């Protein structure tokens, strides 16, 4: 049986939001997507469009490609996207960093890896 991409992307988004230490309301403010709609996505009740995924990726400061893979829009490729997600996760999870330091490191990282 194939995995449910709607649920998969929802749980992935919830994990990413929690790693970023954001509430649903904060993510809604960052992305312009309503809090109830975000909740439905996270619970696997709604399948977000590519545009919604792009806004969420920007709001969470993660790779849109990874979201597309979790949503079943793109095939997974073992390339830089995975490394990028790992680098972002490492920065977010390092307990030695303050929130301000995390933000600065993520901003610097983005400036080097964006096309």
């Amino acid at each position: 049986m194939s995995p449910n991409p709607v649920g998969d992307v929802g749980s992935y988004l919830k994990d990413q939001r929690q790693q970023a230490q954001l509430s649903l309301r904060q993510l809604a403010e960052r992305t312009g997507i309503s809090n109830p709609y975000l909740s439905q996505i996270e619970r696997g009740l709604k399948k977000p469009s590519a545009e919604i995924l792009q806004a969420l990726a920007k709001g969470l400061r993660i790779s849109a490609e990874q979201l597309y893979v979790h949503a079943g829009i793109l095939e997974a490729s073992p390339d830089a996207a995975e490394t990028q997600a790992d680098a972002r996760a490492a920065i977010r999870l390092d307990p030695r960093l303050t929130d301000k330091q995390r933000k600065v490191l993520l901003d610097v990282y983005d400036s080097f890896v964006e096309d």
Side-chain angles (χ1 to χ4, degrees):
M1 182 177 250
S2 64
N4 178 1
V6 177
D8 187 38
V9 73
S11 60
Y12 180 74
L13 282 168
K14 184 175 183 177
D15 289 344
Q16 293 300 310
R17 178 179 59 77
Q18 289 173 338
Q19 284 182 16
Q21 299 177 341
L22 294 171
S23 68
L24 272 173
R25 186 163 294 167
Q26 290 169 319
L27 183 57
E29 289 172 7
R30 276 189 180 190
T31 61
I33 301 167
S34 76
N35 185 1
Y37 188 64
L38 288 175
S39 176
Q40 290 175 344
I41 293 170
E42 283 190 359
R43 290 182 288 141
L45 301 175
K46 296 286 185 181
K47 182 176 181 178
S49 67
E51 292 82 15
I52 296 290
L53 291 172
Q54 181 70 34
L56 288 168
K58 188 174 180 182
L60 290 168
R61 298 177 189 260
I62 60 175
S63 164
E65 181 180 355
Q66 284 299 106
L67 283 182
Y68 295 154
V69 168
H70 283 277
I73 295 171
L74 286 179
E75 293 280 327
S77 60
D79 60 9
E82 239 178 83
T83 304
Q84 186 177 2
D86 291 346
R88 291 173 189 276
I91 292 168
R92 286 191 183 108
L93 295 174
D94 192 332
R96 299 167 295 176
L97 300 172
T98 66
D99 288 343
K100 184 176 180 178
Q101 289 170 328
R102 283 185 188 100
K103 183 184 180 329
V104 169
L105 280 172
L106 288 169
D107 288 344
V108 169
Y109 184 77
D110 287 343
S111 74
F112 283 106
V113 297
E114 288 182 353
D115 293 28

